[in-house]
Amino acid sequence: MLEKTTRMNYLYDFYQSLLTPKQRSYMSLYYLDDFSLGEIAEEYGVSRQAVYDNIKRTEQMLEEYEKKLGLFEKFQARKQIFQSMREILGDSVDPELLRLLDALEKLE
Amino acid sequence: MLEKTTRMNYLYDFYQSLLTPKQRSYMSLYYLDDFSLGEIAEEYGVSRQAVYDNIKRTEQMLEEYEKKLGLFEKFQARKQIFQSMREILGDSVDPELLRLLDALEKLE
């Protein structure tokens, strides 16, 4: 469950701009703020089932976007490369090169 | 027009997986293979206007995706950083570092 939560947090991070405001609210309460389905249902005056269905559908959409665009996968691949580069560079290197690497990572 | 074509080619490249098969066909014939609207219309047995409307709508969708996800903008930013890094690195450097930079660029 923890692994799924982490993955959903990342996918949400990458693709939230493609979701509706309601999808964003539910996902953010459930995954980021750790609300229960019941608490979200109460907050919005809808049934627990409605919240559950909406979140399940949103999770499927996020996985579908990831399958199509692969932003999370590329992010992970780049992160590994950044780490290897930093290991090689150490701190014995052109400071401009380190600044560029920082700039690259900030684009993530 | 040339600038727009280049931009559309890039946006198409980044977001084509989010389009329908028909949108992909029209865009690819128009922007990549340089077919005219009339030629595409003939190919698909529809009116020139229908092709035009479809392509205009698709262009708007691509711009909308770019506004939301910014993949082309980030690609351009990274490309500039890669270039600066290569200039600093020259060829007097750890070959492993160059290999990692190659791997990073291939992720684009």
Side-chain angles (χ1 to χ4, degrees), chain A residues 14 17-18 65 68-69 71 74 77-78 81-82 84-85 88-89 94 96-97 100 103-104 107-108, chain B residues 14 17-18 65 68-69 71 74 77-78 81-82 84-85 88-89 94 96-97 100-101 103-104 107-108:
Chain A
F14 285 112
S17 63
L18 301 176
Y65 283 131
K68 288 177 174 171
L69 295 171
L71 299 185
K74 283 187 185 173
R78 274 199 286 261
I81 297 176
F82 291 151
S84 304
M85 286 177 111
I88 293 177
L89 288 172
D94 192 326
E96 177 63 6
L97 204 55
L100 287 167
L104 262 185
L107 281 172
E108 298 295 339
Chain B
F14 284 112
S17 63
L18 301 177
Y65 282 132
K68 288 178 175 172
L69 295 172
L71 299 185
K74 283 187 185 174
R78 274 199 286 262
I81 296 176
F82 292 151
S84 303
M85 286 177 111
I88 293 178
L89 288 173
D94 192 326
E96 178 63 8
L97 204 56
L100 287 167
L101 194 55
L104 262 185
L107 281 173
E108 298 296 338

Side-chain angles (χ1 to χ4, degrees), chain A residues 54-99:
Chain A
N54 187 293
I55 288 178
K56 282 297 136 194
R57 207 163 45 241
T58 307
E59 286 174 1
Q60 284 165 7
M61 281 180 66
L62 293 177
E63 289 290 358
E64 198 58 37
Y65 283 131
E66 174 61 11
K67 219 163 103 184
K68 288 177 174 171
L69 295 171
L71 299 185
F72 181 41
E73 196 184 331
K74 283 187 185 173
F75 162 78
Q76 286 175 303
R78 274 199 286 261
K79 204 172 151 192
Q80 273 201 330
I81 297 176
F82 291 151
Q83 198 180 331
S84 304
M85 286 177 111
R86 287 199 183 278
E87 276 163 21
I88 293 177
L89 288 172
D91 38 30
S92 63
V93 81
D94 192 326
E96 177 63 6
L97 204 55
L98 286 177
R99 199 193 60 76

Side-chain angles (χ1 to χ4, degrees), chain B:
Chain B
M1 183 57 190
L2 186 63
E3 202 180 318
K4 189 193 163 191
T5 300
T6 306
R7 181 175 173 82
M8 275 304 145
N9 271 317
Y10 271 112
L11 294 186
Y12 179 72
D13 213 38
F14 284 112
Y15 302 112
Q16 59 174 293
S17 63
L18 301 177
L19 302 177
T20 67
K22 192 167 84 175
Q23 285 177 318
R24 276 203 289 273
S25 301
Y26 287 5
M27 288 297 281
S28 150
L29 288 171
Y30 189 67
Y31 278 110
L32 306 182
D33 302 331
D34 203 31
F35 276 44
S36 71
L37 294 172
E39 286 168 331
I40 300 172
E42 203 173 331
E43 185 86 7
Y44 281 84
V46 296
S47 70
R48 190 183 170 288
Q49 185 65 37
V51 175
Y52 176 82
D53 290 345
N54 187 294
I55 288 178
K56 282 295 136 196
R57 207 164 42 241
T58 307
E59 286 174 1
Q60 284 164 7
M61 281 180 66
L62 293 177
E63 289 291 358
E64 197 59 37
Y65 282 132
E66 174 61 11
K67 219 163 101 185
K68 288 178 175 172
L69 295 172
L71 299 185
F72 180 40
E73 196 183 330
K74 283 187 185 174
F75 162 80
Q76 286 174 304
R78 274 199 286 262
K79 204 172 151 190
Q80 273 200 331
I81 296 176
F82 292 151
Q83 198 180 331
S84 303
M85 286 177 111
R86 287 199 183 279
E87 276 163 20
I88 293 178
L89 288 173
D91 38 30
S92 62
V93 82
D94 192 326
E96 178 63 8
L97 204 56
L98 286 175
R99 198 192 61 76
L100 287 167
L101 194 55
D102 285 343
L104 262 185
E105 293 204 56
K106 278 211 190 88
L107 281 173
E108 298 296 338

Side-chain angles (χ1 to χ4, degrees), chain A residues 1 26 30 35-57:
Chain A
M1 183 57 192
Y26 287 4
Y30 189 68
F35 275 45
S36 71
L37 294 172
E39 286 167 333
I40 301 172
E42 202 173 333
E43 185 85 7
Y44 282 83
V46 296
S47 70
R48 190 184 170 287
Q49 185 65 38
V51 175
Y52 176 82
D53 290 345
N54 187 293
I55 288 178
K56 282 297 136 194
R57 207 163 45 241

